[in-house]
Amino acid sequence: MTSDLLAPLDLAFWNIESAEHPMHLGALGVFSAHSPTAGAHAADLLAARAAAVPGLRMRIRDVWQPLAFGGATREPAPDFDPLDHVRLHAPTADFHTDAGRLMERPLERGRPPWEAHVLPGEDGASFAVLFKFHHALADGLRALTLAAAILDPMDMPARTPRPEQPSKGFFPDVRKLPGLVRGAVSDVGRALDIGASVALSTVGVRSSAALTAEPSGTRRTAGVVIDLDDVHRVRKIRGGTVNDVLIAVVAGALRRWLDERGDGSDGVAPRALIPVSKRRPRTAHPQGNRLSGYLVRLPVDDPDPLARLDTVRTAMDRKKDAGPNRGAGAVALLADHVPALGHRLGGPLVSQAARLWFDILVTSVPLPSLGLKLGGNPVTQVFPFAPLARGQSLAIAVSTYRGQVHYGLVADAEAVPDLDVLARALTAEVETLITACEA
């Protein structure tokens, strides 16, 4: 294993972290247990397997060398001990209560930034594992790769090895300079376009105080499971994609939730950041986040569920036509234009700016269609959790797994003490959409 410099976006995630807003991804996997001791056995397996996964041995260390001043490297930890990262907890009656408490704790920055918490169920018939990966270590696809490496082996189709890429020197090949200059000019133009779009996205903003809050450092999580067949029923009748339906469900659930808590949804159209991975699944192994995004207004103020779906579908089609390299949602791409020292010095300022850019994160996490197991115990549910940006109260992640859709909700526990109400609203909104489509 060798060290490598953090990519610009990884470095940004590393530097915007604070005690109140840790920048780690999470996933809560719920397993059906073959025996009451399955949780303890799972913890032993995770620790034993982690030692053999190179990516889990990597720590992040600051660099002050002239060519990378203010940057950081990902390098092997000389004193790596899996037992520092895999922890077995006491039996619990509510996996999400414990997951919320654990999600609010930042990862220790001096060690490889990941953890696996095993939570045995009080009934002895199930256990859960909460995986936490710092966003500087892994994006969603990379986190999935690392987690899968310590679960039971899956029968995967063989892959054709990728050709070895020649190493890059400090200076470009002079024969490529004309093209590099044109690319640099194009990059500057794209950066200006993105910057202007971000500024315009703040004009006429009407969100809700329920989605913004001063940081309390507390976390609450909830999970919702819906039938993927129900989503396909709506999609086939009304058109669009599965993702369009899932985003429209969020918009409708937010409307129900705001009305029920008395905040009101009239005129509310929060800006949802929909991350877009620029990494293909077959290239998930290389390090470095590759993310862009779409910025979409959620039609929370529209009382018609079918009109909400049509609005979301039209907005997503328009964003896709423009591509993930343009518009306010592509602001993550600007990280490539900031020097390492700029990320270090500007991290706190950037973290404060998230609320000016978007109101809520709605992200999708891909999962394999094959069944996941640990110690022979099958995964029955997987709830992904996204980081919660400063000044925001709620983040929603979605995954599909073996015929089910899992919504993972993360909220500031003080700002959103009624997260269970929003969870119920998601289920109710699916039923409303089906009824409206079949009327």
Side-chain angles (χ1 to χ4, degrees), residues 9 135 139-142 274-284 288-294 324-325 333 363-366:
L9 189 54
H135 218 330
D139 58 11
L141 283 172
R142 177 66 174 161
I274 316 292
V276 177
S277 176
K278 300 193 70 179
R279 184 204 307 280
R280 296 181 180 179
R282 287 183 176 273
T283 60
N289 279 279
R290 298 292 301 162
L291 293 173
S292 182
Y294 302 133
N325 294 333
L333 300 178
T363 185
S364 177
V365 180

Side-chain angles (χ1 to χ4, degrees), residues 41-120:
H41 178 54
D44 291 339
L45 281 176
L46 292 173
R49 293 172 179 175
V53 180
L56 296 178
R57 305 175 68 94
M58 305 299 280
R59 67 177 181 179
I60 295 175
R61 188 176 63 86
D62 293 338
V63 174
W64 299 104
Q65 298 171 356
L67 292 177
F69 192 76
T73 62
R74 194 183 288 105
E75 62 180 32
D79 55 351
F80 174 71
D81 185 348
L83 296 179
D84 291 333
H85 303 265
V86 179
R87 291 151 196 185
L88 177 64
H89 294 261
T92 179
D94 187 343
F95 295 137
H96 280 286
T97 296
D98 283 29
R101 174 177 52 82
L102 293 167
M103 281 296 290
E104 70 186 37
R105 299 179 184 176
L107 294 165
E108 188 169 332
R109 291 169 72 92
R111 293 174 176 167
W114 69 275
E115 292 174 352
H117 297 270
V118 181
L119 308 169

